[in-house]
Amino acid sequence: MRPVQPEAPALAPVAGARRPATWLVALAALVLLGFVLDIALGPVRIPVAAVVKILLGQPTGNPAWTFIVREIRLPKALTALVVGSGLAVSGLQMQTLFRNPLAGPSVLGLTAGAGLGVAAVMLAGGGVANGFAIRALGLGGSWGLVLAATAGAALVMGLVLALSARVRDNVVLLIVGLMIASVTGAIVSLWQYFSAPEQIQEYLLWTFGSLGGVVGSHLAVLAAVVGVGLVLAFASAKPLNALLLGENYARSMGLVVGRSRTLIIASTSLLAGAITAFCGPIGFVGIAVPHLTRALLRTADHRLLLPGTCLAGAALTLACDCVAQLPGSQTSLPLSVVTSLLGAPVVLWVVLRRQNIRSSFS
Amino acid sequence: MLLPPPAPLLVATDLVVGYFAAKKQPRPVAGPLQLALAPGELVCLLGPNGAGKSTLLRTLAGLQPALGGQLAVGGQPLAALSAPERARQLSIVLTDRLDAGNLTVRELVRLGRHPHTGWLGGLSAHDEAQVQAALVATGTAAFGPRPVGELSDGERQKVLLARALAQDTPVVLLDEPTAHLDLPNRVALMRLLHRLARQTGKAILLSTHELDLALQAADRIWLLPAVGALRTGTPEDLVLSGTFAAAFVHEGLAFDAATGTFALHAPTGPAVQLLGSGAAAFWTRRALEREGFVPTTAEASLCVRVPHATQTAWLSQAAGQPPQAHNSVETLLRALSQLKDS
């Protein structure tokens, strides 16, 4: 046996905690920067100083700027904040629960469920009217779409929750989620196959994802639901930590695994379901940000990882939205295209640098 | 006068362990078992693969339900305890693979405080002191900041034990903690467990395939044969009564109570009378057994005298022939096999 080396118990935790704390502050600063930049950039460029003034409620002498910021860009930036943090946190929860580095918000089939709801509305009835609403108001402009997507996601969530009560093994549950997603996707494909091209185009537009148009009461509802989901997620920090060693160890440490799993799945469903319902499927953020955050914070403690992924998710989504504006031009790109195009190389870089992702994803 | 034995920490009465197969059919693996774990005791659970050692440990830890019988921990039925209450009575080291390579050693040991912390999982100064004590007790304090993924097998096993110690439970269960360890690490771990049981008064139960180590280190042995009832007792009593040997007969293993070892080789050849004592006799005997001879102290047609004080060579002699001298075991064996064939 090695000789026991004396070590002051009070010192060690401090030394280990410095890195995550520094990064949390840095990420918060990035979120703030991204938030202001996201508002400043667009077809009409508004100086950052003016943006700050408008956000602080001071007059700028340019009512058009004030209108653009208050009515269009502030809601969009807020949506980016909510969407980024929500998707990233739900991804982190899924990766830890399923102990699988490839898990994300979509593994339980929630995104596919929301897609099914939207497809049902668009392809079966009143497709043209809703499609018009998309172009005129953005995706969130239509309560019908939001409700349909919510219903679809809720249906899948109910199914997954009911099955999770019966299925003891998380790997089996993961497969169940993937199969639900597969079946749901197949139904949508079938629907598309028998639909008119114009209707499919409208549906495709929805699948690109968008932060625009979530304003007023829509934004309030989205923020409230995501808020509840995040509170549930932060409440599950301790169970998530216990689950790091696997279900058996978690159970041996006094965790009621079934109850914790329900809490985690409910939280993820609220986050991913609501966000997909309002903004369409936005890929990549949910899978990639948790990896990014772990690599930055070098910790597996969810009491640090949860706020970390929250901030990193918001920062990344805001940054992607800035790029999606194509600064200096009048057009903008679909958000989920930008998140994947920009984010994938970043994650590749992080993952290849760390090499041992399989053994250290959590 | 003998003191009465201390009250056991864990008592199993008519315990049947096993699992539910398809269609909720109970499939018992072992039982009914009568078991008791006393404080300060190191108990080794021995038995062949498939006898139900892991199932028994998992049942004792409350990770899977018992198929029958009663199980009490700290005087209370296990089933009546809430999950955190149970986790304050029993901790376990499993054979499950660790995927959490990013966890540092200290973070992993801190997880052991789970049943003692509040809903947010924050650690108090007392919790941190327990974590530190567990690290020191297992000799892993210096590993604190290292990621678990970078530990060697032996180091990881100690860290997992530290996590169980940090859980601060009167009963600690370990499922094959010596698997994947080399001999020095196996010995070190057994020694550590024995010392911990004595010093902390915990009851420590481990399953193992290390029969030799278990016989030396355990205060008590639970023998779980593939067929037949579970036997418990101090190692020496089990050996001397022949119970230990009987438990492994089914596996085709012959246990030699005189040497405390299992015969690796089935005897095929003739008996050889072995004269002499000490280390030379012990190792010569092993060599003879390996070659299929049956060493005996009784008179036989072949006879071997090992080196002793005045004589440095091995002497071999077949009935009616002159003795031959050999300067090594190797040449002795070669000569004997020729004698056997002729």
Side-chain angles (χ1 to χ4, degrees), chain B residues 60 70 75 96 116 127 132 172 181 198 207 229 233 252 260 270 285 297 301 328 337:
Chain B
L60 293 180
Q70 286 84 46
D96 294 16
H116 302 275
D127 291 321
Q132 183 63 19
V172 180
L181 299 189
R198 284 286 186 285
S207 68
R285 179 189 173 90
T297 49
S301 61
S328 69
S337 60

Side-chain angles (χ1 to χ4, degrees), chain A residues 58-85:
Chain A
Q58 291 165 357
T60 55
N62 189 333
W65 285 357
T66 310
F67 178 82
I68 291 174
V69 169
R70 291 237 173 108
E71 300 302 319
I72 299 171
R73 296 199 187 163
L74 181 60
K76 193 155 72 79
L78 285 172
T79 309
L81 206 67
V82 168
V83 164
S85 45

Side-chain angles (χ1 to χ4, degrees), chain B residues 186-267:
Chain B
R186 289 201 295 264
V187 172
L189 186 70
M190 290 298 264
R191 201 178 283 163
L192 172 62
L193 290 172
H194 189 260
R195 187 168 53 83
L196 282 173
R198 284 286 186 285
Q199 288 178 353
T200 61
K202 291 178 192 296
I204 301 181
L205 169 66
L206 67 135
S207 68
T208 180
H209 289 289
E210 298 298 325
L211 304 174
D212 293 353
L213 274 177
L215 283 177
Q216 289 183 57
D219 296 308
R220 180 173 289 274
I221 280 181
W222 294 0
L223 261 180
L224 191 59
V227 279
L230 176 124
R231 303 297 178 88
T232 68
T234 52
E236 294 75 16
D237 282 339
L238 290 176
V239 168
L240 292 175
S241 68
T243 313
F244 195 78
F248 291 93
V249 163
H250 292 283
E251 319 311 315
L253 276 178
F255 180 77
D256 186 349
T259 58
T261 54
F262 285 88
L264 195 60
H265 313 284

